[in-house]
């Protein structure tokens, strides 16, 4: 019995000793690329050279990077500077070396998972073989591109099954690998030397027609122009309707914008464009503290502090995951009074602050008074309709998602308040229709 106890104590001691061993996160390693034995210095190209971008003459068909009869492979060493994570790039990736940048056309989505920003790569330039397969260099309206040949005169996407034949990862990704972004006075706006390079436009302002509008609409690509200090060149901010940051509203403020400089040439007209990668590339210059609040409904807001209250009727507000929105369907000739209520909001600048929200309505009967916005300074969890006051009048009724008119907060006398969307159909003889809300924001003028 004593022996059994001794064995149990020893086992327990060993178990506790092992359990107290501190777990260490494994160290990930990736070997730096080593050129094959016998590789000569002349086998390395730079992007902005007569062998690559300089090899292609605008207006001619795409050119092979090397001759298939050449017994040597050629290589380009570069670093990934673009990202398709934000939805503004699609099946393409921009890489840059010390001399220039080029856009790789690749038939694959989610490239940022495999080639994140800061990943060094080696491009294998093995030229066209007798069947015409291999990398070519060309352009799209003067924007340098690299990929497979398409319809004899264009650069097309490399099939995803063959990407590894042309791109080799070189070590682990790191922000330290990135080139320093060119700023306003450093960018060459007289030619193509800085096209497909990482840039940062500092202190820019959007033109008046963009103020209060989103970076892009849901149905089409949007192009807004900005004034850039240090140059008279108007730069176009080109944003896809698939960009995840498209709903950010442009304000009458000064911005710092980071992204990839591109160009579009049509005839004698040359337009420089900035391709923003993710929302982190959009920075308001010297913002005031707490001047921006946003609630999006990518997750159910009823699990994030929002609530509903049904005073009349049995329809109510519901969350729709597919559209990531709160929806009230309305009803056929039924009295209803349903509230969708925010959590408590703390906002310091009521003088300049305003509420806006992205919404969609079906107003088939021409009656608009059922859609109302209220506020209260009461923080009580017990709903009392007498605590609530109108914040303003809704004057935008879009059939597809758009941002509402602004509701100034200056009438609110406390920096702590809540807002509510009230679906108030008080006349049972009038049929009412849906109201869909998916983003709510409080901003400063």
């Amino acid at each position: 019995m004593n022996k059994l106890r001794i064995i149990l104590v020893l086992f327990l001691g060993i178990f506790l000793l092992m359990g107290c061993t501190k777990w260490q996160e494994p160290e990930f390693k990736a070997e730096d690329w080593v050129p094959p034995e016998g590789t000569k210095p002349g086998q390395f190209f730079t992007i902005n050279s007569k062998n690559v971008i300089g090899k292609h003459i605008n207006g001619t068909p795409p050119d092979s990077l090397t001759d298939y009869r050449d017994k040597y492979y050629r290589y380009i060493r570069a670093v990934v500077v673009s990202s398709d994570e934000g939805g503004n790039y699609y099946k393409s990736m921009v890489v840059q070396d010390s001399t220039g940048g080029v856009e790789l056309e690749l038939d694959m989505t989610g490239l940022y998972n495999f080639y994140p920003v800061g990943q060094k790569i080696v491009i294998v330039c093995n030229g066209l073989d007798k069947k015409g397969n291999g990398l070519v260099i060309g352009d799209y309206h003067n924007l340098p591109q690299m990929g497979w040949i398409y319809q004899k005169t264009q650069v097309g996407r490399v099939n995803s099954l063959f990407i590894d034949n042309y791109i080799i990862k070189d070590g682990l990704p790191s922000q330290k690998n990135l080139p320093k972004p060119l700023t306003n006075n450093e960018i060459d706006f007289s030619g193509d030397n800085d096209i497909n390079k990482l840039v940062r436009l500092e202190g820019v302002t959007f033109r008046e027609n963009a103020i209060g509008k989103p970076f892009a609409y849901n149905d089409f690509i949007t192009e807004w122009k900005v004034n850039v200090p240090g140059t008279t060149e108007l730069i176009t901010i080109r944003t896809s309707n698939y960009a995840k940051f498209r709903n950010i509203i442009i304000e009458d403020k000064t911005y710092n914008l980071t992204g990839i400089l591109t160009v579009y040439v049509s005839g004698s007209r040359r337009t420089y464009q900035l391709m923003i990668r993710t929302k982190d590339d959009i920075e308001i210059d010297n913002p005031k503290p707490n001047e921006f609040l946003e609630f999006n409904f990518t997750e159910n807001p009823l699990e994030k502090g929002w609530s509903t209250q049904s005073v009349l009727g049995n329809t109510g507000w519901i969350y729709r995951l597919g559209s990531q929105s709160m929806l009230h369907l309305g009803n056929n000739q039924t009295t209803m009074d349903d509230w969708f209520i925010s959590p408590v909001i703390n906002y310091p600048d009521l003088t300049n602050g305003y509420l806006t929200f992205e919404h969609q309505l079906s107003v088939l009967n021409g009656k608009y008074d059922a859609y109302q916005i209220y506020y209260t300074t009461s923080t009580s969890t017990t709903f009392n309709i007498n605590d609530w006051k109108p914040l303003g009048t809704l004057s935008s009724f879009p059939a597809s998602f758009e941002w509402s008119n602004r509701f100034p907060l200056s009438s609110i006398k406390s920096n702590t308040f809540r807002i509510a969307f009230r679906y108030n159909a008080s006349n049972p003889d009038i049929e009412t229709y849906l109201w869909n809300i998916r983003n709510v924001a409080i901003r400063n003028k």
Side-chain angles (χ1 to χ4, degrees):
M1 192 69 173
N2 289 335
K3 289 183 179 180
L4 180 59
R5 287 180 179 177
I6 293 172
I7 291 172
L8 288 174
V9 169
L10 288 173
F11 178 79
L12 180 62
I14 294 171
F15 177 79
L16 291 174
L17 181 63
M18 293 176 64
C20 293
T21 302
K22 185 178 180 181
W23 181 84
Q24 292 184 339
E25 183 177 351
E27 182 180 353
F28 295 98
K29 295 182 178 180
E31 298 295 331
D32 292 338
W33 179 74
V34 177
E37 187 176 350
T39 302
K40 300 177 181 180
Q43 290 178 241
F44 289 93
F45 291 158
T46 55
I47 292 174
N48 194 10
S49 67
K50 65 179 181 179
N51 301 106
V52 185
I53 290 179
K55 181 181 180 67
H56 177 71
I57 303 172
N58 185 35
T60 67
D63 296 296
S64 172
L65 290 169
T66 63
D67 193 305
Y68 74 88
R69 291 183 293 264
D70 195 326
K71 62 180 179 179
Y72 296 114
Y73 279 176
R74 300 296 200 272
Y75 305 100
I76 298 171
R77 305 188 78 157
V79 62
V80 177
V81 293
S82 72
S83 173
D84 61 353
E85 182 176 8
N88 210 22
Y89 273 94
Y90 178 70
K91 293 188 176 182
S92 62
M93 180 173 74
V94 179
V95 299
Q96 181 180 337
D97 66 9
S98 60
T99 67
V102 67
E103 184 178 278
L104 303 179
E105 305 304 311
L106 307 172
D107 196 14
M108 179 188 290
T109 57
L111 287 165
Y112 71 95
N113 291 304
F114 304 96
Y115 307 101
V117 172
Q119 174 67 60
K120 293 190 296 182
I121 66 167
V122 176
I123 303 173
V124 182
C125 309
N126 56 354
L128 298 180
D129 59 23
K130 293 180 181 181
K131 295 181 180 179
N133 298 317
L135 291 181
V136 295
I137 186 75
D139 72 80
Y140 177 75
H141 289 270
N142 271 59
L143 181 70
Q145 295 179 323
M146 189 183 296
W148 275 357
I149 197 163
Y150 176 68
Q151 292 185 347
K152 297 183 179 180
T153 62
Q154 302 173 50
V155 177
R157 299 185 180 118
V158 177
N159 186 290
S160 61
L161 298 177
F162 294 85
I163 290 176
D164 289 345
N165 292 354
Y166 304 104
I167 299 178
I168 302 171
K169 293 183 182 180
D170 185 10
L172 288 174
S174 172
Q175 295 295 307
K176 295 178 181 179
N177 297 333
L178 290 173
K180 183 179 180 295
L182 299 174
T183 54
N184 305 12
N185 296 324
E186 299 171 327
I187 302 170
D188 177 14
F189 287 115
S190 62
D192 296 334
N193 290 332
D194 293 332
I195 299 304
N196 281 324
K197 285 186 179 180
L198 185 63
V199 301
R200 176 179 168 87
L201 305 181
E202 298 181 335
V204 306
T205 53
F206 284 84
R207 303 190 82 179
E208 186 176 355
N209 66 327
I211 305 302
K213 308 291 178 52
F215 269 79
Y217 291 97
N218 293 329
D219 299 324
F220 53 88
I221 292 171
T222 309
E223 297 180 345
W224 302 117
K225 293 189 179 298
V226 294
N227 303 294
V228 182
T231 177
T232 58
E233 189 77 38
L234 280 174
I235 309 302
T236 297
I237 309 301
R238 189 172 194 272
T239 307
S240 166
N241 53 313
Y242 292 101
K244 296 178 182 178
F245 55 87
R246 65 186 181 277
N247 293 322
I248 295 177
I249 296 297
I250 297 169
E251 302 183 60
D252 188 12
K253 297 182 184 297
T254 302
Y255 286 83
N256 299 323
L257 301 175
T258 303
I260 309 300
L261 185 69
T262 68
V263 71
Y264 184 90
V265 176
S266 179
S268 61
R269 184 177 180 182
R270 173 182 293 265
T271 302
Y272 289 99
Q273 302 173 330
L274 182 72
M275 293 289 289
I276 293 171
R277 301 165 300 176
T278 68
K279 66 179 182 179
D280 294 333
D281 286 338
I282 304 169
E283 173 191 332
I284 295 178
D285 194 19
N286 297 318
K288 296 177 183 178
N290 302 320
E291 69 174 3
F292 182 89
L293 289 176
E294 184 169 8
F295 302 92
N296 63 58
F297 302 149
T298 55
E299 298 181 65
N300 189 345
L302 301 180
E303 299 174 357
K304 301 292 182 180
W306 290 72
S307 61
T308 59
Q309 182 69 42
S310 204
V311 178
L312 291 171
N314 57 6
T315 302
W317 291 90
I318 57 174
Y319 176 63
R320 287 289 179 87
L321 178 61
S323 58
Q324 298 182 342
S325 64
M326 287 296 294
L327 173 67
H328 197 297
L329 290 170
N331 211 334
N332 183 9
Q333 298 180 330
T334 302
T335 301
M336 60 186 66
D337 187 3
D338 297 310
W339 297 64
F340 174 44
I341 303 169
S342 77
V344 174
I345 296 170
N346 293 289
Y347 198 77
D349 191 357
L350 299 176
T351 302
N352 295 303
Y354 66 89
L355 169 75
T356 185
F357 50 92
E358 192 182 15
H359 70 145
Q360 171 194 25
L361 298 94
S362 291
V363 185
L364 303 180
N365 55 15
K367 303 293 183 180
Y368 306 103
D369 54 357
Y371 315 97
Q372 302 171 0
I373 314 301
Y374 278 71
Y375 78 93
T376 182
T377 55
S378 171
T379 58
S380 172
T381 56
T382 302
F383 179 81
N384 184 343
I385 198 169
N386 296 318
D387 291 336
W388 293 86
K389 298 179 181 179
L391 185 59
T393 302
L394 185 63
S395 60
S396 66
F397 304 93
S400 58
F401 279 107
E402 292 183 15
W403 288 89
S404 72
N405 54 294
R406 298 181 179 186
F407 292 79
L409 304 180
S410 53
S411 60
I412 302 177
K413 304 307 179 185
S414 170
N415 297 108
T416 302
F417 57 92
R418 289 180 291 165
I419 56 100
F421 299 90
R422 183 183 186 186
Y423 197 112
N424 185 19
S426 57
N427 188 341
D429 297 327
I430 299 176
E431 185 175 359
T432 59
Y433 305 94
L434 71 81
W435 190 12
N436 212 2
I437 299 171
R438 72 177 180 190
N439 281 302
V440 178
I442 293 179
R443 305 187 176 97
N444 270 10
K445 298 177 183 176

